[in-house]
Amino acid sequence: MVSVDVPVVVGLDNGGTSNNATVLSLDGRFLVDGLVETPSEVTAGPQAAIEALAGAFDGVLVHAGVPRGLVRAVGLDTPGPASATGVISSRGSTNFAQPAWHGFDVRGALERRLGLPVIYHNDGNAAALYAHHVHFGADAATRSSVAAIVGTGLGGAVVVDGRVVTGAAGMAGEFGHVHIPLAGLLAPDQPEPRCACGFTGDAESVASLTAIRRNLLPYWLSRYPGHPLAQEPPERAATLLRGYAERGDALAREVFAQQAAALGRLFTIAANFTDPHAYFVGGGVVEAAPEFRDWFLDAVRAHTVLREEQAALATFALVPDRDMAGARGVAIAAAEAVRPAGTPPAATPPADVPVD
């Protein structure tokens, strides 16, 4: 336990099954080392979920030994789609399927429950913000980055001068639905991939777990008759694929090579719009074996076409601390929102203050 006598913010990362929480002091120290998880209760509806978030808030303060009176703000992230102010889509989402969630102002509800300012980002933006600040440290406020977060779908974010670009409707950085060139990416007889959103040939239709299940794996299994994954149900086969890729399986590497190429083409588009200092890749690949992780990031880099001047300045990296990145990212956003003008930005290396 550490003694804390400076103001803090709390970061809350809301997921389908768990909430993860962290505490960041305004002098730049993460006071929680590791995961502090509690059930999210989102399937029980908005009221139960807000109470669960309030419980996660109280619990992490006890865990870190921080009095509630020192908290100046709360950062909250949830999966999308949601507005820039934290209103869940009127159509709901995978995590917020019940009708009561449709159009629900989750940020406002938590703010009223806690009686503290709540700063909202979606989970992709939060992870990208954390990656940006960890990577650039004290220079974060003068650098830019883009991030692609590969999960069930494909999330993303644009960070400029250390802050997430949200856009007018909160939909900036939705890289999953940017159309990418397919020529040379697909095999000659491979069907054009369709996204769950209805688009054909957007980035998510190739670079996502859903894309593996619906588009890529069925085709590649037809090219590798007798492969063990052909005997598995499609959902399970898709989730098992990364393990095969880590072991160098030829079919699995074909699939992930296409995903890496898709991300490279996406980053090429981003390079011509934002010209960032860094390109981050997050998602399940971060948890993969080091050899596969490096191979995948190298493939993304190889397929990202940069001008000579851009290549001299740009870096490629993985989003660190995947399980904690969301909570830490929104904690950083909350700290930036309440920090007095003219003070240094949050220092955000991995947590360096053990609590036990």
Side-chain angles (χ1 to χ4, degrees), residues 235-313:
E235 292 279 358
R236 178 169 167 77
T239 59
L240 291 174
L241 187 69
R242 192 183 71 200
Y244 279 84
E246 289 175 323
R247 297 188 293 273
D249 178 80
L251 176 151
R253 290 287 174 120
E254 293 277 17
V255 171
F256 283 104
Q258 288 192 319
Q259 292 206 324
L263 293 180
R265 291 173 183 225
L266 180 64
F267 283 162
T268 300
I269 295 170
N272 288 287
F273 273 91
T274 66
D275 189 24
H277 293 90
Y279 301 83
F280 297 116
V281 177
V285 68
V286 174
E287 297 180 341
E291 184 275 333
F292 172 73
R293 210 167 51 207
D294 293 344
W295 170 84
F296 188 83
L297 189 61
D298 286 345
V300 173
R301 183 187 293 108
H303 286 279
T304 303
V305 180
L306 302 177
R307 294 176 175 84
E308 183 177 345
E309 299 88 342
Q310 293 174 311
L313 296 172

Side-chain angles (χ1 to χ4, degrees), residues 5 12 16 18 29 32 45 57 63 71 84 96 138 186 193 216 221 229 258 262 274-275 284 297 331 339:
D5 56 3
L12 298 175
S18 299
R29 294 175 293 149
V32 173
F57 170 86
H63 184 86
V71 182
F96 306 113
L186 302 178
L216 306 187
L221 283 173
L229 287 177
Q258 288 192 319
T274 66
D275 189 24
L297 189 61
R339 181 174 288 104

Side-chain angles (χ1 to χ4, degrees), residues 14-19 38-46 48-50 52 98 101:
N14 169 260
T17 57
S18 299
N19 292 320
T38 53
S40 66
E41 307 293 351
V42 294
T43 58
I50 294 298
Q98 293 177 331
W101 278 113

Side-chain angles (χ1 to χ4, degrees), residues 74-117:
V74 176
L76 170 67
D77 80 76
T78 73
S83 74
T85 57
V87 177
I88 304 301
S89 168
S90 60
R91 296 185 178 183
S93 74
T94 300
N95 278 29
F96 306 113
Q98 293 177 331
W101 278 113
H102 298 185
F104 183 76
D105 180 4
V106 64
R107 186 207 63 81
L110 184 63
E111 187 169 84
R112 291 189 294 273
R113 173 64 177 81
L114 297 179
L116 289 162

Side-chain angles (χ1 to χ4, degrees), residues 160-246:
V160 176
D161 296 337
R163 296 178 181 273
V164 173
V165 177
T166 56
M171 297 180 181
E174 288 291 344
F175 291 138
H177 305 300
V178 172
H179 285 82
I180 58 173
L182 296 178
L185 190 154
L186 302 178
D189 60 341
Q190 189 171 2
E192 290 191 348
R194 288 186 59 81
C195 181
C197 75
F199 285 166
T200 297
D202 64 9
E204 186 175 302
S205 71
V206 181
S208 66
L209 183 62
T210 301
I212 290 176
R213 177 179 58 83
R214 293 179 54 173
N215 300 323
L216 306 187
L217 193 53
Y219 170 76
W220 287 105
L221 283 173
S222 73
R223 299 290 300 271
Y224 285 80
H227 193 281
L229 287 177
Q231 307 306 314
E232 300 284 351
E235 292 279 358
R236 178 169 167 77
T239 59
L240 291 174
L241 187 69
R242 192 183 71 200
Y244 279 84
E246 289 175 323

